[in-house]
Amino acid sequence: MSRDRYVDFLRAWAIVLVVLGHWLITALVREPGGQITAPELLAAVPWTQWLTLAFQIMPLFFLAGGHAASGSWSRARAAGATASGWLGRRALRLLLPTGVYSGLVLLAVGVCSVAGVDADTLQLVGWAMAMQFWFLPVYLLLSALTPALHAAHRRWGLVVPSAAGGVALGVDALVVTAHAPYVGLLDYVLVWGVAYQLGFCWRDGLLTGRRLVPLTMAAGGAVAFAALVALGPFPVSLILVTGQTPSNTNPPSAAMLAWVVAQVGLCLLVAPAVRRLLDHERVWRLVRPAGAASMTLYLWHMLPVLAVAAAFYLTGLAPEPTLGSAAWWGLRAPWLLVLGVVLAGVVSGLRPLERGLAVLYERTSPDAGLRRAWPLWLGLAMNVTALGRFAVRGFAPDGRFPVLPATGLALGTALVMLTRWTAAHRLGQPEAEQTPSRV
């Protein structure tokens, strides 16, 4: 089956909007003592919370991810691959660039910590470099659950995301009324899992047979979101705002679930028109590079902010109008332009590293089953735990090097790689060497 350009476009579009959204709301201030702080725009200028309706686009990334995973797992299953073999290959595609990024950032944190960099500054930088990590453990968990979720999809179809949505609403009710934050962790998998599971349904034509289905999803989800914000306890912001309770993202709320449904419906409604546009090679040549570099863009997009902060704010060269003023908004255009130029340089500089990771990936990820899958699952569990920790506390909590999460990420990634490397080595041996002789 040929690749669906629209699915690739959705992933690229989601990543680009996430990058632009983070850059747009990032505000920097040079204090009289010379230190740099980052006031929270969404809290300081409340009307900007409405902007998050345009920039909270991650439902589409999970939708596209589900669509792609459905096709990948279906082909692997038909070819006789095991669930652990498929998962190991898919997980490495995420873990290799994430591991390199995290390793380099952690190395910088360690050097700065030894050099005596101010703890508050180090904590802020460590948070900025990990703020996007919430997505990674959730996506790894959904990938691990894909064989089971897809089996349920083949049997029950649209009942599965509907049931998951119903459970998510029950969980959110407990979070809001009983203040049970740990129960709310389930909604990270349930709410984003609805978008992921709808990707299965989309690929199999369950959402596109009749135009009424996506139209109902778009309209119904939008009305439900408006009602939950206007009449219920939920804020309009679809990005976390400090002190705002309940939040729509921490954990994903009923309002976020409504937004997922609305966004998926709208995505399906515009699909025919966008596909026609993507059929033009000139348009596709513009879209394809963003899709190919999506993981790099996602991981590294806050590095230009730190570079610009050092070059213009630490030196006092950057003008600093009042946060949220007309002059401040006027400077957003050159701000975004400068960050875009710096990120383009970062992406270009990382190409040799990406080529090396691609070679390593191919050598350690053959389409083979695993005889012993437990190291893979242990490694994935360690990675999910470590990445979740980084997402919550950053790379330098309290200005210190995070020894346990860093160790967990290194060991977890090594376990996954070792498992796949062993499978690759066994696959390359003659059959007589693959089966040990019995004495």
Side-chain angles (χ1 to χ4, degrees):
M1 180 182 293
S2 61
R3 291 182 66 89
D4 188 333
R5 287 184 174 184
Y6 186 53
V7 175
D8 291 341
F9 165 78
L10 289 180
R11 282 188 287 208
W13 180 246
I15 293 301
V16 168
L17 278 189
V18 166
V19 171
L20 290 177
H22 283 168
W23 286 354
L24 184 66
I25 65 173
T26 297
L28 299 177
V29 173
R30 186 176 187 272
E31 300 293 344
Q35 68 271 30
I36 304 298
T37 60
E40 193 173 354
L41 178 66
L42 299 180
V45 188
W47 71 262
T48 58
Q49 295 179 26
W50 288 92
L51 297 177
T52 65
L53 301 185
F55 287 99
Q56 180 49 274
I57 205 77
M58 290 310 287
L60 297 188
F61 196 94
F62 283 100
L63 175 73
H67 187 288
S70 174
S72 174
W73 170 238
S74 295
R75 292 188 294 271
R77 190 169 59 91
T82 63
S84 55
W86 174 84
L87 176 59
R89 183 176 177 86
R90 196 162 182 85
L92 266 187
R93 191 182 294 274
L94 189 73
L95 290 175
L96 284 177
T98 300
V100 170
Y101 170 83
S102 301
L104 292 173
V105 174
L106 287 168
L107 176 62
V109 168
V111 171
C112 291
S113 181
V114 171
V117 173
D118 175 68
D120 290 337
T121 300
L122 197 56
Q123 182 177 11
L124 176 62
V125 171
W127 169 82
M129 296 299 282
M131 63 183 296
Q132 71 276 35
F133 264 38
W134 71 268
F135 161 81
L136 299 171
V138 177
Y139 200 81
L140 276 175
L141 279 172
L142 289 173
S143 296
L145 293 170
T146 293
L149 292 175
H150 199 264
H153 161 74
R154 295 195 304 272
R155 182 167 184 177
W156 293 299
L158 282 168
V159 173
V160 181
S162 300
V167 176
L169 292 177
V171 170
D172 194 46
L174 286 175
V175 172
V176 173
T177 59
H179 306 289
Y182 290 106
V183 175
L185 292 176
L186 292 172
D187 269 349
Y188 281 99
V189 176
L190 289 168
V191 172
W192 297 118
V194 167
Y196 192 77
Q197 196 85 27
L198 287 174
F200 298 174
C201 299
W202 176 27
R203 182 177 181 274
D204 288 349
L206 300 181
L207 301 177
T208 53
R210 292 180 298 174
R211 186 175 176 81
L212 182 61
V213 175
L215 184 61
T216 301
M217 292 175 65
V223 169
F225 176 80
L228 288 166
V229 171
L231 306 176
F234 301 101
V236 70
S237 178
L238 292 171
I239 295 176
L240 179 64
V241 178
T242 302
Q244 198 172 72
T245 304
S247 165
N248 282 328
T249 58
N250 188 29
S253 68
M256 179 63 81
L257 178 60
W259 194 252
V260 166
V261 174
Q263 202 169 89
V264 170
L266 181 60
C267 159
L268 299 179
L269 284 174
V270 303
V274 178
R275 279 196 174 101
R276 287 193 295 270
L277 189 62
L278 294 172
D279 284 339
H280 296 287
E281 287 303 317
R282 289 184 179 179
V283 175
W284 181 239
R285 281 198 296 268
L286 294 175
V287 173
R288 185 172 54 192
S294 60
M295 194 63 186
T296 304
L297 294 174
Y298 188 78
L299 288 172
W300 292 90
H301 73 272
M302 290 304 290
L303 180 61
V305 174
L306 300 182
V308 171
F312 294 98
Y313 283 85
L314 282 178
T315 59
L317 295 176
E320 295 189 44
T322 303
L323 181 66
S325 66
W328 187 87
W329 284 107
L331 288 172
R332 289 290 91 179
W335 164 258
L336 294 177
L337 180 61
V338 170
L339 292 178
V341 170
V342 175
L343 183 58
V346 170
V347 172
S348 178
L350 289 171
R351 281 175 185 164
L353 178 60
E354 289 181 333
R355 286 194 290 268
L357 288 177
V359 172
L360 180 61
Y361 173 77
E362 291 302 327
R363 289 181 177 177
T364 57
S365 297
D367 290 318
L370 300 179
R371 289 180 176 178
R372 297 176 181 175
W374 68 264
L376 169 70
W377 294 100
L378 177 59
L380 287 176
M382 295 175 72
N383 277 295
V384 167
T385 303
L387 291 171
R389 187 70 171 173
F390 288 138
V392 173
R393 303 203 62 195
F395 281 114
D398 302 320
R400 293 193 291 267
F401 186 87
V403 177
L404 287 180
T407 303
L409 182 63
L411 290 179
T413 304
L415 275 174
V416 176
M417 285 190 64
L418 182 62
T419 304
R420 301 303 302 164
W421 190 282
T422 302
H425 179 69
R426 191 182 77 248
L427 192 68
Q429 291 179 336
E431 186 64 28
E433 297 179 20
Q434 293 183 32
T435 306
S437 59
R438 296 183 178 181
V439 178

